[in-house]
Every structure is written in structure tokens, then in C-alpha cells.
Amino acid sequence: MEEDEKTYQKYIYISNKVNPIIEEVCKENKIHLVNRYINDYSLDSFLQTELPILNNIDFLIIDYAAINKMTKDNDIITTVEKIRRFCELRIIFILEGAGKGNTLLGRLFYLGIYNFITATNDILFKEELEKTLTPKGMNFANSVKFQLENNFLSINNGTKVIKENYIKIKQKVTVGICSSERHIGATTQAINMTKYLSELPNVNVCYIENNRYNSIIQIYNTSNKEEVNYYEQSGKIEYQGIEMYLQSGISEIMNDKYDFLIFDFGSMQDMNDSEVNNFLTKDIKFIVSGTKSWELPGLFGCFEKIGNDKNINFIFNFTKKEDRQFFKNNMGDFKGNTMFSEYIDNPFVVANKLYLERIFNPFILNTDIKEVKKNKFMQLFKKKE
């Protein structure tokens, strides 16, 4: 009986519709529903009328879809600050489809709110919700991808800010990457591309281990468990601000929020005809190889398999600078698609920005965010009426 009382917790949620997943997961975790608020709400008005209830619950789940029509983002931030000041509870914020660069989640992150649910399909939504309800909930590492640069936060402090903003052109862009043989760097390159795209505001990307090696599970097995998340049901791993999936999670990924899908096919030597054809259907394609004499047979084997497709990019690892132009000149029709990679010691630190920008820029628009507020000093000299 004493243990039951210890684990007994309570929650309320604000949504524009009844959410059976929230109620089912909370019930499974022995968290009791006090009240559901199903409507469009002004968050500040809600706080004023329901503050006594908030003082007696453990979790407040807020769905952005229920408050965005009646509450401006600035008011959401102000109200969340008030809730944190007056109430001892955990705030769980739902904003489906949000990714890196989302200003609202970035500002909430700045306040110390880390429990975000952004999934757009039921399986991932359930897994993210379950993580938020664990004893410690999501932590800094889970949500650091939403962190905004300091100069962007200064928008609200009366300063002028110009910041790059990216918008996808194509709904989903598929990227295929494979190597001419095993252990020559395809996975390193694929993860590094994912990291590059993940650092562009408003661009959502994931890495997919579309092969049979199960290499990325080692990231979870060998990392500090405070820094990595593994969602077993969907096969998703979150680490260093990027989202990665085992092959088992592909069906869920295609229905989710991602703008770019990076498929790691492994070695072309291990791919059957169907897998090669799948690789060739991707919007952007890369083959990773080496230029040493014993690596060339694998490269020649790739030429035989890709047929007449001239839209494939080739990335060569570990090639001396003085040898690069000669090798590029001998790539025939692929000369313009030939690139030489920097040495990548850590795949989670972006390299090769020069050619990554050239290849990916045609698929995204680059705009500027400009916020200019009146100069406070000029206001002092404004003539009074």
C-alpha cells in the first residue's frame, strides 16, 4: 500500500481533441488523469482560472494545437515562466513536426523545458511520451537540438538580428549513400551529412541504416546513457543532436516529419539487384571509395552496377592533395561529380561543407529573418504631443 501511494502521480492535459495515446500511456505508467481540457485555449487565461489545480499535479501536458489560435508565442513563453515560478510540476510540450530551428521550442529550451514531443506518427509519439514520463524525463542532451544561438534569442531584447533560415523545396528528399567495399567510410559520410543538414534551421533530417550491419546500435551500447536515447519499438537512436534509425524503423520514418532521409546502403558489393535499383531511385546519390590500387577493383564494380546513371556523386577518402586533380581528370563523365573528403575523425562534427552546400542547396531555399525594433535612444528625443 505504501509503495502504491509513493508511485501515485497525477496529470492534466490541454488538447483540441481527446488523445487516447496520452491517456493509455499515462494509465500504463500509473499516472492518474485529473482533467482533460479539450478546446482552444488562451494559455494565460487557463493559468488564471486553473492555478489551484496546477499546484496539485505532477505533469502538465500542453498541445500547441490547442493554444496557438488564442495565444501568441511570446505569451506562451511568459505564461510558462509563471507556471514554473508558482508550480512544482513537469511541463510536457507537444508541437508535432517541429525540428531544429523552431523558435518556440528553442525559447522553451532556454527556460529549462526539455520534455518535447514532436513526432507526427503514433508509434514515435508514444515512445517520446513514455520518455517524458520517466522519473528523470528528457534531459538537456535529448533536446539540445532545439537550442538557439544567443544572437537569435536577442530578438526579444530590442536588437536587430539577421539570421539564415532554410526552407525545403521538395516535400521529402531521399539521399542514398553506399561504398565500393566495406569499411571505406560510407557510414561516416552518411552520418556527417545528416549532422550538416541537422544544423540548418527549419530542416528536419534523419539517418537510416538501410543495411544489415546494425552498426549504429554500437553508438547506444558504448555511449554514456545520459547522452543517448534508444527507442526500441521504432528502432530510433538520438545522439549528438541527430536522429538515426535501424532498418526496422523505415516504415515509420516515411510517415514522419523529415525533409531529408539519408539512407546508408552499406557496401555495394553486399547489395543485391533490388537494393541497387532502390539506391538508384534516390534523389541524391553518393558512392564512397578509395583511390589506392587495391581499392580500384571495387570502384570498377560499382561502374558496372550503376549502368548509365550519370547523376551519381563520388566521394574519395584518404587521397593525397597532389594526386586529386589527376584522379578527377580520369573520372570521365563523373569528373564534375567527383569530390575528395577531408579526414573525418568524428562523424558528428561537420566536415566538407564546401561540397555539401553545393549539392544540397538546390533542394532548399535560403532566406533571411530580420527583426528591427525602434531605437530606444531615439525615443528619448521624440517630441511630446
Side-chain angles (χ1 to χ4, degrees), residues 32 45 55 58 89 113 128 168 289:
H32 178 68
S45 298
N55 278 312
D58 302 283
L89 52 76
I113 307 294
E128 291 180 7
K168 71 213 185 265
S289 184

Side-chain angles (χ1 to χ4, degrees), residues 195-208:
K195 184 64 177 174
Y196 165 75
L197 290 167
S198 77
E199 293 184 353
L200 302 181
N202 297 320
V203 172
N204 296 318
V205 59
C206 69
Y207 163 94
I208 304 158

Side-chain angles (χ1 to χ4, degrees), residues 95-110:
L95 207 172
E96 294 186 11
K100 182 180 173 65
N102 183 279
T103 310
L104 178 59
L105 294 192
R107 294 173 67 188
L108 289 170
F109 178 89
Y110 184 74

